[in-house]
Amino acid sequence: MSARRARLGVLVSGGGSNLQALLDAAGQADYPAEVACVLSNVPTAFALERARKAGVRAEVVDHKGFGSKADFEAAVLGVLADAGVEWVCLAGFMRLVSADFLKRFPGRVLNIHPSLLPAFPGLHAQKQALERGVKVAGCTVHYVDAGTDTGPIIAQAAVPVLPEDDEASLSARILAEEHRLYPLAVRLAVTGAVTLDGTRTKVDARVTGDGTALRSPGAPR
């Protein structure tokens, strides 16, 4: 009998390339999670097509149709509950979730951000990195808390900033690492390999399943 897999709800607003990385990972027999539902606040988001192509339930809850954030989130939570979602993954979801939303999934809401947090939270992280002249950028998967990109960090991947980089080229290289890192971090979280210690996490990387642990590109093997 195969082991039971954690049920993910993925919230999206755009193209959904990180969603695709999760769908691809969930298609592997030994992956400990499945995508139970994909929900977008944008009816035209291409991520919805990715979900439908994968045979995954795709739902739209347009925030513009609600008079308050609370009403919008209540509708989102209703869809997630109906789909039996246990963990929520934000994948380019351009809406901040409230503390009340987080209470419904305590310690089970994850996000991916295109910087090495706590550096450059919020929008346009890659542009912020270039403007500050950093030599190393990257991405972070973290638990979501009531702040903006302030939750405990699960995993990070570093990307060198090249002299010729612009926002587009740096974003593309970071995105490639996001596609590797997000499925890995979800594996760690849902299998209990991550434990919270205040605002920090302890990670048992022995259960990554792919042998790469949390290496940065170019790190010695």
Side-chain angles (χ1 to χ4, degrees):
M1 181 181 295
S2 60
R4 183 183 177 280
R5 304 205 290 171
R7 293 177 65 80
L8 309 178
V10 185
L11 305 189
V12 295
S13 295
S17 66
N18 272 308
L19 164 66
Q20 189 64 58
L22 293 173
L23 290 169
D24 291 346
Q28 301 169 11
D30 65 344
Y31 196 69
E34 61 181 320
V35 180
C37 179
V38 173
L39 185 149
S40 179
N41 65 309
V42 179
T44 57
F46 182 68
L48 295 166
E49 293 303 314
R50 295 181 186 271
R52 294 180 185 119
K53 185 176 180 180
V56 171
R57 178 175 175 175
E59 298 281 354
V60 174
V61 180
D62 189 343
H63 65 279
K64 295 178 181 178
F66 295 86
S68 69
K69 181 174 184 176
D71 289 343
F72 165 67
E73 288 193 342
V76 171
L77 288 167
V79 172
L80 298 179
D82 186 64
V85 167
E86 299 163 312
W87 290 77
V88 175
C89 296
L90 308 182
F93 186 60
M94 304 306 291
R95 308 291 298 178
L96 295 176
V97 296
S98 70
D100 286 339
F101 182 99
L102 295 174
K103 288 177 183 177
R104 295 288 294 272
F105 295 94
R108 288 180 282 119
V109 181
L110 310 182
N111 182 49
I112 188 158
H113 183 75
S115 80
L116 294 175
L117 292 173
F120 314 125
L123 298 174
H124 308 297
Q126 304 93 327
K127 181 180 180 182
Q128 294 182 61
L130 289 169
E131 288 174 345
R132 292 299 300 271
V134 301
K135 306 309 179 188
V136 179
C139 53
T140 302
V141 180
H142 63 96
Y143 291 106
V144 178
D145 63 11
T148 300
D149 301 321
T150 55
I153 291 167
I154 299 172
Q156 295 182 303
V159 172
V161 179
L162 305 179
E164 65 273 19
D165 267 332
D166 58 17
E167 187 175 358
S169 62
L170 179 59
S171 297
R173 289 207 317 285
I174 292 174
L175 188 61
E177 284 303 301
E178 291 180 43
H179 296 164
R180 179 188 71 87
L181 194 69
Y182 210 177
L184 172 58
V186 169
R187 176 188 289 274
L188 291 169
V190 304
T191 57
V194 185
T195 56
L196 283 169
D197 181 13
T199 59
R200 303 177 63 182
T201 61
K202 295 180 179 179
V203 178
D204 180 357
R206 291 174 296 178
V207 300
T208 58
D210 63 2
T212 62
L214 305 181
R215 294 190 191 96
S216 301
R221 296 180 182 273

